Amino acid sequence: MATIATLSSSPSVPSRTDAVLDHVTKRLISHGHTVTPIVLRDLPAEPLLRGQADHPAIAAAAAVLEAADAVVVTTPVYKAAYSGLLKVFLDLLPQYALKGKTVLPLATGGTPAHVLVIDYALRPVLTSLGAGAIGQGWFVLSSHIHLYDGGGVLLDQAASVPLYQVTEAFLATVEGEQVIESGPVQLAAVEAIRVRPEDPEAAPLLSDLVVEYSSRYGRINENTQLTEVPASDFHVESGGAFVLLRYGGQTVAGGAIRRYDDETAEVKRMWTSHLHRRQGLGRRVLAELEAAAADLGYRRLYLTTGPRQPEAAGLYLAAGFEPQFDTSVDPESIGPLPFTKEIPVALKVAS
Ligand SMILES: Cc1cc2nc3c(=O)[nH]c(=O)nc-3n(C[C@H](O)[C@H](O)[C@H](O)COP(=O)(O)O)c2cc1C
């Protein structure tokens, strides 16, 4: 496993750039890597501005960088370039401080006019510091980053999908693996399988949900860690089912049901890979779960989704679920949003 340093270079608190970095950091940790943050605004200002590279705090930050195998460099766009805070720190580093290191550059900015800032401003200075492989990086528009009071960040799909791709490419370089390419899925070639949550094919779904939930809700608790119900609830012998969609040897989507009451199955663990969203895979998972519920003798489906999952609520409405809450009210003021769906009789007879 690798040691990855992250550079946070916005002077602001809260920082949208830090929120993006926090999201990416959770994904790096979920791959088993050790992540060590360097928060530049927390370094003492005077030694930074006076070029005192031998100050203990500056030297310690430089040592973290030196010890890292890879670095995530983040910056807000200020005046069409990277932040001054980042520049004063980089100026204190030895000439080839990034020698041989894999680097992922990320930026946030207020206008698409500066979408190329990584390439025209940041990449040259990273190259000058000797960086080994500099990843593609990504510029996230600040209007695509939604921060919540008390923590948590929701990224619009326009940001979360490319961010996932560049992070996966960075991880593949760090881990010496092949990058998994995204692209349209041939729905006819997608296979649905019923597994147990402990099976290795379910691991991508479970680890990605932990990243997404802990990032969106800004906390680590039994709900974001998926320990709120035992995995055995999804075993067939407990009245549950765990369905995965597989395509090209990969798990691309999935979901599960558990017994809610004698007549009702609760849908949990709904997930579609970031590489394959908006292609109907979520609808297919729901159809497979409905069939599994019918097989187990249930008459209806019930689920709750969190207020920070607008794409999930849209999917359930499109799949014929009835909201059991006032849809005109701000979801944040409600909390968990309940939906139900009666299982059509034909499906039950067919089973
Ligand atoms: C002093 C200043 C200068 C900025 N200049 C630019 C700019 O030139 N181009 C741009 O796209 N955004 C610019 N922005 C907007 C920030 O890049 C954007 O809001 C960013 O997401 C802030 O990140 P932070 O919350 O981590 O500080 C500027 C913001 C500030 C405060």
Side-chain angles (χ1 to χ4, degrees):
M1 290 299 126
T3 300
I4 302 174
T6 62
L7 271 181
S8 165
S9 69
S10 169
S12 311
V13 178
S15 156
R16 287 178 194 276
T17 319
D18 281 5
V20 169
L21 176 59
D22 188 53
H23 177 79
V24 168
T25 296
K26 288 189 166 67
R27 197 169 299 288
L28 305 179
I29 291 172
S30 79
H31 277 242
H33 301 299
T34 302
V35 178
T36 315
I38 302 171
V39 182
L40 298 182
R41 65 175 168 272
D42 290 346
L43 293 179
E46 185 154 335
L48 260 188
L49 292 178
R50 291 183 178 273
Q52 294 166 0
D54 56 354
H55 183 281
I58 310 283
V64 167
L65 265 190
E66 190 180 355
D69 306 301
V71 187
V72 182
V73 179
T74 69
T75 183
V77 182
Y78 282 177
K79 310 288 190 228
Y82 51 82
S83 74
L85 186 51
L86 180 58
K87 185 71 166 96
V88 291
F89 177 70
L90 295 181
D91 289 351
L92 295 184
L93 296 176
Q95 172 91 58
Y96 297 113
L98 297 178
K99 189 163 188 290
K101 299 182 196 302
T102 302
V103 178
L104 174 63
L106 299 173
T108 74
T111 161
H114 294 143
V115 69
L116 295 178
V117 71
I118 288 176
D119 293 317
Y120 67 70
L122 191 50
R123 197 176 293 276
V125 74
L126 298 175
T127 303
S128 154
L129 285 162
I134 307 176
Q136 185 196 341
W138 198 253
F139 169 95
V140 181
L141 260 185
S142 46
S143 58
H144 290 161
I145 307 165
H146 308 281
L147 300 185
Y148 293 94
D149 289 346
V153 58
L154 175 61
L155 301 174
D156 287 354
Q157 295 235 17
S160 64
V161 170
L163 196 60
Y164 177 87
Q165 289 170 335
V166 299
T167 306
E168 285 297 299
F170 170 71
L171 281 165
T173 308
V174 169
E175 295 164 7
E177 302 275 343
Q178 284 280 107
V179 184
I180 299 169
E181 296 296 337
S182 63
V185 165
Q186 291 170 1
L187 292 175
V190 172
E191 181 198 11
I193 56 171
R194 293 188 192 177
V195 297
R196 290 164 85 83
E198 299 83 2
D199 290 346
E201 294 92 338
L205 176 156
L206 297 172
S207 70
D208 197 50
L209 282 180
V210 167
V211 170
E212 285 295 319
Y213 290 163
S214 55
S215 181
R216 289 186 191 197
Y217 294 97
R219 49 184 173 261
I220 293 190
N221 63 19
E222 59 176 18
N223 288 317
T224 62
Q225 298 302 294
L226 308 183
T227 53
E228 83 291 14
V229 298
S232 58
D233 276 18
F234 304 122
H235 295 168
V236 178
E237 54 272 29
S238 314
F242 206 106
V243 169
L244 297 178
L245 300 187
R246 302 271 299 168
Y247 178 72
Q250 303 292 327
T251 298
V252 292
I257 52 170
R258 69 194 276 255
R259 183 185 178 282
Y260 186 71
D261 61 34
D262 283 351
E263 302 203 323
T264 315
E266 181 179 10
V267 176
K268 306 279 288 180
R269 310 291 184 256
M270 284 295 296
W271 173 82
T272 301
S273 158
H274 279 83
L275 300 180
H276 304 293
R277 299 227 162 147
R278 295 175 184 262
Q279 299 189 55
L281 295 176
R283 290 285 287 273
R284 170 84 185 273
V285 172
L286 286 174
E288 296 289 344
L289 291 176
E290 199 168 314
D295 288 350
L296 290 162
Y298 294 113
R299 300 163 69 92
R300 80 182 59 80
L301 297 174
Y302 161 83
L303 62 86
T304 59
T305 186
R308 298 180 193 172
Q309 281 139 265
E311 71 278 44
L315 168 67
Y316 301 134
L317 288 172
F321 280 76
E322 303 274 350
Q324 305 299 314
F325 57 94
D326 184 349
T327 51
S328 64
V329 173
D330 174 13
E332 281 287 321
S333 68
I334 302 176
L337 309 173
F339 289 81
T340 57
K341 184 181 183 190
E342 296 299 315
I343 298 175
V345 175
L347 204 55
K348 280 177 272 184
V349 170
S351 70

